[in-house]
């Protein structure tokens, strides 16, 4: 009898990544294994290890795919960010609100994978990819050091919103970003209150 041939399935790798994202979204990174992903993707266990020899490889692919959320927003509005006539602080505050106001579960998942890089060195390079892309874009309007400060501030604001469950305050973000840019005036609105404040 002829040996069985492997069915050509060019989408299988993508389905495995999608399944890993769903598993992490439902059970956290602790719930991720080749077995749980194979079951979620409805593929043989060997398929997951064929495409991703380690869980870190799978997490890197998942993080790169989830990073597309904010990257897509930036790509769609990159011209406005690069336009020297636009209010950079206002544009950044608005885009951040658009991202946070979209698929909230997807944003939370992106940050869960992003923060996993603290304990998984293999994730660190891809975890910084979107930051570096945004720094390069913003450096066209300011200098590299200020661009990094803007990205760090946005990161902190987003984490605060996600961790406290609070509402995103676009005006507060705009004012804080303007201060980093040196264009802010006055004391501005108070920081949104979190638990224990």
């Amino acid at each position: 009898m002829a040996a069985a041939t492997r069915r050509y399935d060019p989408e299988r790798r993508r389905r495995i990544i999608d399944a890993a994202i769903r598993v992490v979204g439902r059970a956290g990174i602790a719930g991720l294994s080749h077995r749980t992903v194979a079951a979620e993707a409805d593929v043989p266990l060997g398929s997951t290890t064929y495409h991703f020899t380690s869980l870190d490889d799978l997490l890197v692919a998942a993080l790169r795919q989830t990073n597309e959320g904010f990257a897509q927003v930036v790509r769609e509005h990159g011209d406005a960010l690069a336009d020297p006539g636009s209010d950079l602080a206002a544009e950044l505050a608005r885009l951040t609100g658009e991202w946070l106001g979209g698929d909230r579960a997807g944003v939370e998942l992106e940050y869960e994978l992003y923060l996993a890089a603290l304990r998984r060195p293999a994730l660190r390079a891809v975890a910084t990819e979107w930051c570096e892309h945004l720094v390069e874009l913003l450096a066209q309007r300011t200098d590299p050091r200020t661009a990094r400060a803007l990205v760090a501030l946005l990161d902190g604001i987003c984490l605060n919103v996600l961790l406290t469950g609070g509402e995103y305050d676009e005006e507060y973000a705009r004012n804080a970003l303007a201060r980093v840019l040196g264009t802010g005036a006055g004391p501005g609105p108070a920081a949104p209150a979190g638990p224990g404040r």
Side-chain angles (χ1 to χ4, degrees), residues 104-190:
R104 185 63 169 259
V107 173
E108 291 174 355
L109 175 61
E110 183 170 338
Y111 264 96
E112 181 167 3
L113 288 167
Y114 177 59
L115 293 173
L118 290 171
R119 295 189 179 276
R120 291 178 180 263
L123 297 181
R124 288 177 188 162
V126 69
T128 62
E129 280 181 3
W130 80 266
C131 295
E132 293 302 322
H133 173 72
L134 190 53
V135 165
E136 288 175 11
L137 181 63
L138 297 180
Q140 297 173 28
R141 291 284 307 276
T142 180
D143 60 89
R145 287 172 66 90
T146 302
R148 287 191 182 282
L150 290 170
V151 172
L153 175 58
L154 286 174
D155 221 5
I157 289 172
C158 290
L159 271 173
N160 181 266
V161 169
L162 295 173
L163 293 174
T164 65
E167 292 294 319
Y168 174 67
D169 186 334
E170 185 173 322
E171 180 59 22
Y172 166 73
R174 188 206 65 76
N175 186 271
L177 290 162
R179 286 172 174 277
V180 172
L181 286 164
T183 59

Side-chain angles (χ1 to χ4, degrees), residues 35-135:
R35 192 171 300 280
T36 58
V37 171
E40 181 71 26
D42 192 24
V43 299
L45 178 60
S47 286
T48 65
T49 55
Y50 172 79
H51 289 285
F52 303 99
T53 55
S54 71
L55 286 180
D56 278 352
D57 291 340
L58 183 52
L59 282 169
V60 164
L63 178 56
R64 184 166 280 119
Q65 185 165 305
T66 58
N67 273 351
E68 278 300 300
F70 190 76
Q72 180 65 31
V73 172
V74 171
R75 277 196 299 269
E76 290 172 357
H77 302 279
D79 289 344
L81 290 175
D83 179 5
S86 69
D87 182 335
L88 183 57
E91 282 296 322
L92 285 172
R94 183 179 63 79
L95 293 183
T96 302
E98 182 179 321
W99 181 58
L100 288 171
D103 177 14
R104 185 63 169 259
V107 173
E108 291 174 355
L109 175 61
E110 183 170 338
Y111 264 96
E112 181 167 3
L113 288 167
Y114 177 59
L115 293 173
L118 290 171
R119 295 189 179 276
R120 291 178 180 263
L123 297 181
R124 288 177 188 162
V126 69
T128 62
E129 280 181 3
W130 80 266
C131 295
E132 293 302 322
H133 173 72
L134 190 53
V135 165

